[in-house]
Amino acid sequence: MQVKIEEISSVKRRISVEVPAERVNTEIEKSFAGIQKKATLAGFRKGKAPLQMVKKFYRNAMQDEVMRRLYEQTLFPALDEHKLEPVDAPMIDDIALVEEGTPFKYSALIEIMPQILLGEYKGLQVKKERYVADEKAVEGEIERMRENMAQLAPVEEGTVEKGMVLTVDFSFAVPGYPEEETSGKDASVEVGNGRLLPGLEEGLLGMALGETKDITVTMPDDNPNKELAGKPGVFTVTLKEIKKKELPELNDEFAQQFGDFETIADMRTKLAEMREQQELERIKTDLKTRIIDALIEKNPLEVPDSMVRRQTDFMLENLKNRLKGQNMSLEMMGLDEDGFRQRFWGEAAQKVKGGLLVMALVEQENIAVEEADLEARYTQIAAGNEDMLSRIKEFYASQANARNSMVAEIKEDKAIAFLLENAVVTEVEAAELSAPVAGE
């Protein structure tokens, strides 16, 4: 048997195999002999048809069987011989038919793990966002809580102002596009929240009860029907009811309605603490991404498409599950599965690269997980619940796969901590992280 290995890239190989004619003949005869025992042809009892007739009528069946058998018998032994371990199923890209007295030839494409030789991984330069306490953000959260507790009171006199909630009858049309015509009765509209088409909100401001008004708007560029982008549309609106939001007074009684707070001062303090915790966690997650990006930049590598494809599938399933919990779907976000994979292919590739480099760092620095590390993780998961802690320990003691996954996660966390301990970390303002780099 002749085997040729062609290097297409650092992670792709083409393996070409030629099976000698003698072996092909043996397999063909063996296949026809097996088929003959089961063959049923007119005029003959089962298994008694002449071999020549079997060869004539069952040639396609023989072809399929022998090709499959030779493929199975030769490909993986050839891969083992050349110490090639595919990360996904080989893909046959060229195969010849089986013919008596002729060598059988085929070739297959395989992807293999990249060879990782870590170069620079100490002294990586990375920016970290500086945490800044934001009193306005806390006050904004309190205002949102007040908005959620607001009562709507009818307005008998006056005109529409921002913050009011209206009940309207309306019709809508785009001249020349009758299919776009629509209407509604007793529709509820809030003015001032930025959710209305540009022009509609401005047209509603100043309207009086019982008034009917034509309001012209410009159709947005991201309209689902691209033909309508930039064209005028007309709302005919009749104002039937105006209600004004009455926000609850900002006092201790208001704070106590949310359960965890005794006074309004207590609410501000605890909300600020919660925001700080959330922001610090966000900054920590962002820094983790940045240090891995820096590691990839200093240690570029090619990764197999099959691994990236699995990562995109994993990301897709996570998103679909999150959306399902919110009674939403991909389509509601303007995406389909293929569109998602194309859009997030680069991000998935970066995750695969980062994962492989972190694994290589774990090996190179002999990063290990001690029993104390596992105990700390169990305690973290239990969050102070002693009964839960004992159940968690029992679970991981009995589930080897779950324990192995936890060990891998802890190793990754330790590797990233190692990178950060040996990095040059510069704290900067958030605006500097989002600012474009000169020359880009």
Side-chain angles (χ1 to χ4, degrees), residues 109-165:
L109 290 173
I110 63 166
E111 291 187 311
I112 59 174
M113 290 285 285
Q115 184 179 12
I116 302 174
L117 298 174
L118 275 177
E120 186 178 344
Y121 60 91
K122 291 183 179 180
L124 299 176
Q125 296 192 24
V126 64
K127 293 179 180 179
K128 176 184 179 182
E129 180 182 338
R130 180 180 292 114
Y131 169 71
V132 178
D134 187 350
E135 293 183 6
K136 290 183 179 179
V138 174
E139 292 304 316
E141 180 61 28
I142 292 175
E143 283 304 307
R144 282 189 289 274
M145 296 164 78
R146 289 182 74 197
E147 287 274 348
N148 291 337
M149 299 287 286
Q151 301 293 319
L152 294 177
V155 175
E156 301 297 339
E157 295 182 358
T159 58
V160 175
E161 300 174 6
K162 284 188 177 182
M164 290 181 170
V165 178

Side-chain angles (χ1 to χ4, degrees), residues 78 260 265 267 291 297 308-309 334 420 435:
D260 295 332
M267 170 184 271
I291 195 66
E297 183 179 354
V308 180
R309 191 159 43 249
L420 290 170

